[in-house]
Amino acid sequence: MDTALTRRQQSILEYLREQRHAQAHPPTLDELCRALGLRSRGSMHKHVQALVDAGLVEPLSGKQRGVRLCEPAANDLHTLPLLGRIAAGQPIEALEDPQELEVPTQLRGRGHCYVLQVRGDSMIGEGILDGDWVVIESRDHARNGEIVVALIDGEEATLKRIEQTPSACILHPANSALAPLRYAPGRVQIRGVVKGQMRAY
């Protein structure tokens, strides 16, 4: 089963795979509803949009309206370690049972990468929501404006957009309810930079 898909989304994906070579044209939303016994076109649209957001299908417009598979081939996927969960101002919560996730190549950086699951809503303005997975390229440096995993005083880990000056390291949340965090440069260690993001529906 594909990671992080609901049963309905999985059934849509399996149907599209089965019909890929059996039909001359990709099925429309109405055809998908009939084939899978779903009465609500709006509900089907919601499930299909989740598959679109996951990069597994794409909607067609114009004369050939429908939904077409665009999932990556097996050799376009890489397995990365899921090291734990990151929440603002807390140590990274390591998983008791180490896991691995399949990640599309385009979400990876050039260097060593790993995955963390986000806890909290400090970066919702950047579209990073509670429960999302972020792909981190392991680095000890970053450009201003990049979203980083920052370790404060060697203990507290947080996911923030970084601003570095000669006198301060400022970690900016993407949530209007939260204030930026300002530290002396020596108190902040960069442990990686966000290169990609995945979400379960």
PDB file of all heavy atoms in Angstrom, residues 54-68:
ATOM      1  N   ALA A  54      -0.062  14.857  -3.639  1.00  0.00           N
ATOM      2  CA  ALA A  54       0.983  13.875  -3.343  1.00  0.00           C
ATOM      3  C   ALA A  54       1.855  13.584  -4.557  1.00  0.00           C
ATOM      4  O   ALA A  54       2.831  12.837  -4.459  1.00  0.00           O
ATOM      5  CB  ALA A  54       0.350  12.577  -2.838  1.00  0.00           C
ATOM      6  N   GLY A  55       1.502  14.181  -5.714  1.00  0.00           N
ATOM      7  CA  GLY A  55       2.299  13.979  -6.919  1.00  0.00           C
ATOM      8  C   GLY A  55       2.061  12.652  -7.607  1.00  0.00           C
ATOM      9  O   GLY A  55       2.874  12.215  -8.423  1.00  0.00           O
ATOM     10  N   LEU A  56       0.929  11.990  -7.304  1.00  0.00           N
ATOM     11  CA  LEU A  56       0.656  10.670  -7.866  1.00  0.00           C
ATOM     12  C   LEU A  56      -0.224  10.720  -9.107  1.00  0.00           C
ATOM     13  O   LEU A  56      -0.163   9.830  -9.948  1.00  0.00           O
ATOM     14  CB  LEU A  56       0.003   9.775  -6.806  1.00  0.00           C
ATOM     15  CG  LEU A  56       0.872   9.477  -5.582  1.00  0.00           C
ATOM     16  CD1 LEU A  56       0.067   8.738  -4.527  1.00  0.00           C
ATOM     17  CD2 LEU A  56       2.099   8.673  -5.978  1.00  0.00           C
ATOM     18  N   VAL A  57      -1.077  11.732  -9.212  1.00  0.00           N
ATOM     19  CA  VAL A  57      -1.933  11.883 -10.389  1.00  0.00           C
ATOM     20  C   VAL A  57      -1.936  13.345 -10.810  1.00  0.00           C
ATOM     21  O   VAL A  57      -1.517  14.225 -10.059  1.00  0.00           O
ATOM     22  CB  VAL A  57      -3.392  11.419 -10.121  1.00  0.00           C
ATOM     23  CG1 VAL A  57      -3.428   9.994  -9.604  1.00  0.00           C
ATOM     24  CG2 VAL A  57      -4.091  12.358  -9.147  1.00  0.00           C
ATOM     25  N   GLU A  58      -2.435  13.583 -12.028  1.00  0.00           N
ATOM     26  CA  GLU A  58      -2.578  14.956 -12.496  1.00  0.00           C
ATOM     27  C   GLU A  58      -3.898  15.091 -13.234  1.00  0.00           C
ATOM     28  O   GLU A  58      -4.314  14.178 -13.954  1.00  0.00           O
ATOM     29  CB  GLU A  58      -1.419  15.360 -13.401  1.00  0.00           C
ATOM     30  CG  GLU A  58      -1.279  14.520 -14.660  1.00  0.00           C
ATOM     31  CD  GLU A  58      -0.113  14.978 -15.518  1.00  0.00           C
ATOM     32  OE1 GLU A  58       0.421  16.063 -15.252  1.00  0.00           O
ATOM     33  OE2 GLU A  58       0.250  14.248 -16.460  1.00  0.00           O
ATOM     34  N   PRO A  59      -4.597  16.221 -13.048  1.00  0.00           N
ATOM     35  CA  PRO A  59      -5.855  16.438 -13.766  1.00  0.00           C
ATOM     36  C   PRO A  59      -5.581  16.924 -15.180  1.00  0.00           C
ATOM     37  O   PRO A  59      -4.646  17.691 -15.418  1.00  0.00           O
ATOM     38  CB  PRO A  59      -6.541  17.522 -12.925  1.00  0.00           C
ATOM     39  CG  PRO A  59      -5.409  18.289 -12.322  1.00  0.00           C
ATOM     40  CD  PRO A  59      -4.293  17.298 -12.100  1.00  0.00           C
ATOM     41  N   LEU A  60      -6.388  16.474 -16.122  1.00  0.00           N
ATOM     42  CA  LEU A  60      -6.275  16.916 -17.508  1.00  0.00           C
ATOM     43  C   LEU A  60      -7.381  17.911 -17.802  1.00  0.00           C
ATOM     44  O   LEU A  60      -8.492  17.798 -17.288  1.00  0.00           O
ATOM     45  CB  LEU A  60      -6.385  15.719 -18.458  1.00  0.00           C
ATOM     46  CG  LEU A  60      -5.335  14.611 -18.283  1.00  0.00           C
ATOM     47  CD1 LEU A  60      -5.587  13.494 -19.278  1.00  0.00           C
ATOM     48  CD2 LEU A  60      -3.931  15.165 -18.455  1.00  0.00           C
ATOM     49  N   SER A  61      -7.099  18.887 -18.631  1.00  0.00           N
ATOM     50  CA  SER A  61      -8.097  19.882 -19.009  1.00  0.00           C
ATOM     51  C   SER A  61      -8.273  19.864 -20.520  1.00  0.00           C
ATOM     52  O   SER A  61      -7.601  19.119 -21.237  1.00  0.00           O
ATOM     53  CB  SER A  61      -7.666  21.275 -18.536  1.00  0.00           C
ATOM     54  OG  SER A  61      -6.410  21.612 -19.087  1.00  0.00           O
ATOM     55  N   GLY A  62      -9.178  20.690 -21.003  1.00  0.00           N
ATOM     56  CA  GLY A  62      -9.424  20.741 -22.438  1.00  0.00           C
ATOM     57  C   GLY A  62     -10.325  19.610 -22.886  1.00  0.00           C
ATOM     58  O   GLY A  62     -11.215  19.168 -22.165  1.00  0.00           O
ATOM     59  N   LYS A  63     -10.080  19.095 -24.091  1.00  0.00           N
ATOM     60  CA  LYS A  63     -10.940  18.056 -24.654  1.00  0.00           C
ATOM     61  C   LYS A  63     -10.813  16.737 -23.903  1.00  0.00           C
ATOM     62  O   LYS A  63     -11.753  15.956 -23.841  1.00  0.00           O
ATOM     63  CB  LYS A  63     -10.610  17.847 -26.137  1.00  0.00           C
ATOM     64  CG  LYS A  63     -10.959  19.042 -27.014  1.00  0.00           C
ATOM     65  CD  LYS A  63     -10.660  18.749 -28.478  1.00  0.00           C
ATOM     66  CE  LYS A  63     -11.040  19.932 -29.353  1.00  0.00           C
ATOM     67  NZ  LYS A  63     -10.758  19.667 -30.788  1.00  0.00           N
ATOM     68  N   GLN A  64      -9.635  16.464 -23.358  1.00  0.00           N
ATOM     69  CA  GLN A  64      -9.418  15.195 -22.661  1.00  0.00           C
ATOM     70  C   GLN A  64      -9.469  15.416 -21.152  1.00  0.00           C
ATOM     71  O   GLN A  64      -8.479  15.279 -20.446  1.00  0.00           O
ATOM     72  CB  GLN A  64      -8.078  14.586 -23.053  1.00  0.00           C
ATOM     73  CG  GLN A  64      -8.049  14.016 -24.448  1.00  0.00           C
ATOM     74  CD  GLN A  64      -6.784  13.221 -24.697  1.00  0.00           C
ATOM     75  OE1 GLN A  64      -5.743  13.503 -24.140  1.00  0.00           O
ATOM     76  NE2 GLN A  64      -6.882  12.216 -25.540  1.00  0.00           N
ATOM     77  N   ARG A  65     -10.635  15.760 -20.649  1.00  0.00           N
ATOM     78  CA  ARG A  65     -10.777  15.943 -19.209  1.00  0.00           C
ATOM     79  C   ARG A  65     -10.696  14.588 -18.519  1.00  0.00           C
ATOM     80  O   ARG A  65     -11.297  13.616 -18.956  1.00  0.00           O
ATOM     81  CB  ARG A  65     -12.111  16.614 -18.883  1.00  0.00           C
ATOM     82  CG  ARG A  65     -12.183  18.061 -19.340  1.00  0.00           C
ATOM     83  CD  ARG A  65     -13.469  18.714 -18.885  1.00  0.00           C
ATOM     84  NE  ARG A  65     -13.519  20.113 -19.285  1.00  0.00           N
ATOM     85  CZ  ARG A  65     -12.978  21.102 -18.596  1.00  0.00           C
ATOM     86  NH1 ARG A  65     -12.349  20.842 -17.467  1.00  0.00           N
ATOM     87  NH2 ARG A  65     -13.061  22.342 -19.019  1.00  0.00           N
ATOM     88  N   GLY A  66      -9.969  14.531 -17.439  1.00  0.00           N
ATOM     89  CA  GLY A  66      -9.841  13.275 -16.728  1.00  0.00           C
ATOM     90  C   GLY A  66      -8.727  13.345 -15.706  1.00  0.00           C
ATOM     91  O   GLY A  66      -8.193  14.414 -15.406  1.00  0.00           O
ATOM     92  N   VAL A  67      -8.385  12.176 -15.169  1.00  0.00           N
ATOM     93  CA  VAL A  67      -7.347  12.069 -14.145  1.00  0.00           C
ATOM     94  C   VAL A  67      -6.337  11.041 -14.617  1.00  0.00           C
ATOM     95  O   VAL A  67      -6.688   9.895 -14.899  1.00  0.00           O
ATOM     96  CB  VAL A  67      -7.946  11.640 -12.788  1.00  0.00           C
ATOM     97  CG1 VAL A  67      -6.854  11.555 -11.736  1.00  0.00           C
ATOM     98  CG2 VAL A  67      -9.031  12.612 -12.354  1.00  0.00           C
ATOM     99  N   ARG A  68      -5.076  11.451 -14.694  1.00  0.00           N
ATOM    100  CA  ARG A  68      -4.035  10.585 -15.240  1.00  0.00           C
ATOM    101  C   ARG A  68      -2.956  10.325 -14.200  1.00  0.00           C
ATOM    102  O   ARG A  68      -2.582  11.204 -13.427  1.00  0.00           O
ATOM    103  CB  ARG A  68      -3.414  11.248 -16.474  1.00  0.00           C
ATOM    104  CG  ARG A  68      -2.300  10.435 -17.134  1.00  0.00           C
ATOM    105  CD  ARG A  68      -1.864  11.091 -18.423  1.00  0.00           C
ATOM    106  NE  ARG A  68      -1.301  12.423 -18.186  1.00  0.00           N
ATOM    107  CZ  ARG A  68      -1.003  13.278 -19.162  1.00  0.00           C
ATOM    108  NH1 ARG A  68      -1.256  12.952 -20.424  1.00  0.00           N
ATOM    109  NH2 ARG A  68      -0.478  14.454 -18.879  1.00  0.00           N
TER     110      ARG A  68
END
